[in-house]
Amino acid sequence: VNSVKNNYKPVAVSLHLNESPPDVIFLIGHQRFYCKLRKGGFFMLEKGTSAPSFSVKGHNGDDISLADFKGKKVVLWFYPKADTPGCTMEGKGFRDDYEKFTQKNTVILGVSLDNESDNKAFAEKFDFPYPLLCDVNQEIALAYEAVKGPEDKYASRITYVIDEDGNILEAISQVDTKTHSGDLCSRL
């Protein structure tokens, strides 16, 4: 089981195999995280549960925390590697739909394990108007199950939508890079 923020280890794990997909409940510190098993053995945080807090550097060197966006929806999209074809297509979709998301009181945050300089070059090359989070220590990726463990070099291509109160509204494990942004925006 992965460690999460502040290297807490789960003190209790409950697996409910009679569900489809199976439910898994982690008790970490005083917080419960409800997850669903997804393809490839990964878990995703369960809809309705509290989104794990985080604070990391953005591509411009600024500190960005989930708490900064309380009162807004947050689209947290994980991508494997800056400036690669699929990540570029997905990022451009969010760029092109950025104003529509803004009108729906929704913030876009891209997350990868890339460093600030790689993400800054990626954001500038494609004029991304939203922050790219530099999760070089895998703080967010581990907490949101975008990596299986600290040995992973790339985040999975998954997305979470977090509601105005900081709860998981949607967990998306299957992403079509061409249509993801538009599909998601139309549902909000």
Side-chain angles (χ1 to χ4, degrees):
V1 175
N2 295 337
S3 61
V4 294
K5 189 168 173 48
N6 298 326
N7 294 319
Y8 290 126
K9 297 280 187 199
V11 295
V13 177
S14 175
L15 181 61
H16 302 270
L17 296 174
N18 59 337
E19 301 290 326
S20 180
D23 284 331
V24 180
I25 304 168
F26 295 96
L27 178 61
I28 303 169
H30 297 291
Q31 274 193 297
R32 287 179 194 264
F33 293 96
Y34 295 87
C35 305
K36 288 272 188 200
L37 189 62
R38 66 178 166 109
K39 187 177 178 180
F42 282 83
F43 294 98
M44 288 201 71
L45 299 177
E46 183 72 14
K47 179 180 175 180
T49 61
S50 213
S53 61
F54 60 80
S55 182
V56 296
K57 295 283 185 192
H59 70 271
N60 286 321
D62 45 341
D63 292 318
I64 298 176
S65 300
L66 180 59
D68 297 340
F69 305 105
K70 188 151 177 76
K72 296 184 179 213
K73 287 183 186 147
V74 175
V75 172
L76 196 63
W77 68 281
F78 290 86
Y79 58 96
K81 186 78 177 136
D83 205 7
T84 55
C87 301
T88 298
M89 186 174 298
E90 191 173 8
K92 288 165 80 174
F94 283 115
R95 178 199 63 198
D96 296 346
D97 293 329
Y98 181 76
E99 286 303 319
K100 293 176 194 169
F101 280 106
T102 301
Q103 291 169 5
K104 295 180 179 201
N105 194 36
T106 303
V107 174
I108 305 296
L109 300 175
V111 186
S112 76
L113 307 183
D114 294 303
N115 61 40
E116 285 179 44
S117 62
D118 289 347
N119 270 333
K120 184 175 182 64
F122 185 39
E124 289 176 353
K125 181 177 181 179
F126 295 104
D127 297 316
F128 294 156
Y130 50 82
L132 298 179
L133 306 186
C134 307
D135 193 22
V136 295
N137 295 323
Q138 299 185 355
E139 173 187 339
I140 306 171
L142 284 166
Y144 284 82
E145 299 296 339
V147 294
K148 288 182 181 179
E151 67 283 349
D152 287 355
K153 295 184 188 317
Y154 305 104
S156 294
R157 189 182 308 282
I158 61 172
T159 300
Y160 287 94
V161 179
I162 301 166
D163 70 17
E164 296 86 346
D165 297 318
N167 297 311
I168 303 294
L169 185 63
E170 193 171 349
I172 306 162
S173 64
Q174 300 295 315
V175 171
D176 180 338
T177 59
K178 294 177 186 170
T179 61
H180 182 49
S181 176
D183 293 346
L184 182 56
C185 191
S186 70
R187 291 196 303 271
L188 296 179

